[in-house]
Amino acid sequence: MHIKPTTSPQDLAEVHEQVLRPSFPDDELVDLPRLEAMLASGTLHVVVARDDEGVRGTAIAEWSPETGILLLAYLAIAPGRRGGGVGSLLLDHAIDTWRTELDPWLVVAEVEDPAAHAGSDAHGDPAARLRFYQRHGARVIPVPYAQPAMHPGGRRVPDLLLLALCASGDRLAGVEVDGTWLVPTAPLRAFLEHYFTAAEGAAPSGPEWDAIVAALEPPVLRV
C-alpha cells in the first residue's frame, strides 16, 4: 500500500465516488464541483491510500491560510476495505504531510457526538470514531458545535464535536502545567465564520451559530 498527496481532479472524483459518497450522509458531504473548485484554488488538500486493488481510503483537508487553521474535513476508508490499521496510517501520514507543507497552528476535525448520534453499518459507529481520534491525541474543543449546511437545500448537522487534533505550542496562548492547551478564540471564530459563510453562501446566523459565538467569547479556551 502507498499513501501520497494528490492534486489530480481525477483522483478527487474517484475518491468522492468510491469512498466519500458511501461513507457519509448527504447532509455531511460536499458536492464534487465545490471540492474541485477548492482543489483548483489550493485550499483543498487530498491524500489517497492505494494498493494493488485500488483506492483504500482518503484524507481531505480544508486550509485557511488567513487563520492558520486546517480542518480535516474527511477521513474515510472505502467500504469493504477497512482493517489492517489503514485509518491510522492514513491519518498520521496526512497530518505529517500537512504540518510540513502548510505549518498550521491548529488542526481541527468534526465528528458526531456519540451521545446524540446512533451508529449504522453504512456510516460507522460515532463512539468508535471518537475513540479512534482520541487515541491519536484529539481533544474536544468546548464549543456546542453544528456543521454548516454542505450544499444548497441541505441542513446543518447538530450535535457534533469539534476536535483539536494537534496544535503548535508557540502559537497557542499557552500550555498549562497539566498539558492543557490555551487556544485563542479570535482566529478560531474567524475560521468558523469563513467556513460557514463559504459552505452556506451567506454570513452565519441562527441559534446554532449564536451558541458557537457565545462559547467563543472568552479570549482563550482550555482544551
Side-chain angles (χ1 to χ4, degrees):
M1 186 179 67
H2 57 274
I3 302 173
K4 64 179 183 180
T6 179
T7 58
S8 163
Q10 292 77 23
D11 288 342
L12 177 61
E14 184 179 18
V15 299
H16 192 272
E17 179 66 25
Q18 296 185 20
V19 182
L20 299 185
R21 286 188 61 192
S23 300
F24 293 93
D26 287 345
D27 283 333
E28 296 181 18
L29 185 59
V30 179
D31 294 336
L32 180 59
R34 183 172 155 228
L35 290 178
E36 290 173 332
M38 295 169 65
L39 184 70
S41 73
T43 58
L44 194 77
H45 293 261
V46 182
V47 173
V48 179
R50 296 181 181 272
D51 60 17
D52 293 340
E53 298 180 16
V55 174
R56 288 290 301 271
T58 188
I60 297 179
E62 298 183 27
W63 170 230
S64 170
E66 297 84 3
T67 63
I69 294 176
L70 182 77
L71 168 67
L72 175 63
Y74 300 109
L75 175 70
I77 308 302
R81 312 223 58 204
R82 297 182 177 94
V86 176
S88 290
L89 292 172
L90 184 54
L91 178 62
D92 290 343
H93 189 284
I95 295 296
D96 287 347
T97 297
W98 296 329
R99 293 187 81 176
T100 298
E101 292 181 353
L102 305 173
D103 189 29
W105 75 270
L106 185 66
V107 180
V108 298
E110 307 158 314
V111 298
E112 294 173 337
D113 185 345
H117 292 267
S120 69
D121 291 340
H123 302 136
D125 178 2
R129 186 177 299 115
L130 179 58
R131 289 195 298 271
F132 168 82
Y133 282 113
Q134 288 174 329
R135 288 196 299 271
H136 287 267
R139 308 177 184 205
V140 177
I141 298 175
V143 171
Y145 189 70
Q147 186 186 56
M150 290 288 101
H151 51 79
R155 67 178 186 92
R156 290 178 177 172
V157 182
D159 301 316
L160 297 192
L161 300 175
L162 187 64
L163 304 182
L165 300 183
C166 54
S168 174
D170 61 345
R171 283 187 262 184
L172 294 172
V175 179
E176 295 186 339
V177 175
D178 64 357
T180 299
W181 299 339
L182 301 179
V183 176
T185 55
L188 182 56
R189 174 174 173 170
F191 166 76
L192 291 174
E193 187 165 1
H194 179 270
Y195 175 43
F196 272 68
T197 300
E200 299 183 343
S205 61
E208 300 93 352
W209 178 249
D210 291 344
I212 290 172
V213 170
L216 295 176
E217 286 182 355
V220 297
L221 294 178
R222 299 178 76 255
V223 176

